[in-house]
Amino acid sequence: MKIGVLALQGDFAEHIAMLKRINVEAIEVRLPEHLKRLDGLIIPGGESTTIGKLAVAYNLMEPLKQFGQRHAIWGTCAGAIFLSKDANRNQPLLGLMDIKVERNAFGRQVDSFEADLDVPELKQATGTNEDYHAVFIRAPIIESVSGDAKILASAPDGRIVAAQQGHLLATSFHPELTNDTRFHKYFLSLVD
Ligand code: GLN
């Protein structure tokens, strides 16, 4: 299995390190041809406007949309925003997932926080019982899901922070910044 990590901006190196820890081949994706022969793609956290602008500049928008029709993609934080159909403002979006997001919904950088989340699908898929300790950094919330998208996890205040639509996954938080490999393994289970 070979997984790409979109490496235009943001914390792509942490995702690659996490994939290597669980013995998965991981490569940096910067150009359309890098998507060839990949089984799945992770879009990291960072700044969604910057990632979007660079994806336009590198002619990646159409190739990424096409990749997402057939293959698993997981967006973390800014990556989740980039996967969404609607971010309440005008910026380049892949529009692959039927989710509406609100950027910086928990406040500014100083309002970043950590929380334990109950993620039933994750527990079931990985055969574990522990809650998932999630790191939120200027995180978006998923304001609403529609179509085939379903809610995977909510923050303690009830707002949606993880969603899945078939082989597409969106999390507001940053599993690559923890030692818990379960979310990466869960994503790999969506790769066919
Ligand atoms: N605040 C960023 C945005 O709106 C996301 C932050 C992150 O990825 N940690 O794009």
Side-chain angles (χ1 to χ4, degrees):
M1 193 189 299
K2 196 169 169 182
I3 302 295
V5 181
L6 192 64
L8 299 174
Q9 189 264 342
D11 72 336
F12 52 87
E14 284 78 1
H15 273 294
I16 288 181
M18 194 70 147
L19 290 167
K20 289 191 172 156
R21 252 181 75 188
I22 54 174
N23 297 316
V24 173
E25 191 183 348
I27 65 149
E28 294 179 3
V29 171
R30 290 198 173 80
L31 296 170
E33 55 260 40
H34 297 159
L35 291 168
K36 279 183 202 145
R37 288 181 293 279
L38 288 183
D39 300 298
L41 179 77
I42 296 176
I43 305 176
E47 201 55 52
S48 59
T49 42
T50 308
I51 292 172
K53 279 181 195 162
L54 290 171
V56 170
Y58 287 93
N59 294 318
L60 272 161
M61 293 299 285
E62 269 314 305
L64 287 171
K65 286 179 192 174
Q66 278 167 25
F67 187 86
Q69 301 296 331
R70 298 185 315 276
H71 300 289
I73 305 186
W74 174 21
T76 57
C77 205
I81 297 166
F82 192 44
L83 271 180
S84 75
K85 276 213 158 74
D86 187 347
N88 282 314
R89 62 173 100 178
N90 193 13
Q91 65 183 82
L93 298 175
L94 293 177
L96 284 166
M97 282 188 78
D98 291 320
I99 57 175
K100 183 174 183 187
V101 300
E102 176 70 37
R103 292 179 61 192
N104 306 327
F106 293 100
R108 296 149 56 92
Q109 194 82 17
V110 290
D111 301 311
S112 297
F113 65 102
E114 301 185 12
D116 288 325
L117 307 178
D118 176 29
V119 194
E121 277 86 350
L122 184 73
K123 290 179 180 172
Q124 201 186 351
T126 56
T128 54
N129 265 324
E130 299 98 76
D131 282 354
Y132 188 81
H133 189 74
V135 177
F136 294 86
I137 304 169
R138 278 185 73 220
I141 54 148
I142 299 168
E143 212 176 277
S144 58
V145 301
S146 57
D148 296 331
K150 61 174 185 183
I151 298 167
L152 279 191
S154 302
D157 65 7
R159 296 194 282 176
I160 308 165
V161 291
Q164 182 181 340
Q165 186 169 6
H167 54 263
L168 303 172
L169 183 63
T171 57
S172 298
F173 46 89
H174 288 269
E176 73 285 7
L177 299 181
T178 70
N179 284 320
D180 192 339
T181 54
R182 284 181 295 165
F183 246 103
H184 285 76
K185 288 179 180 154
Y186 183 70
F187 173 63
L188 297 176
S189 77
L190 307 181
V191 174
D192 42 59

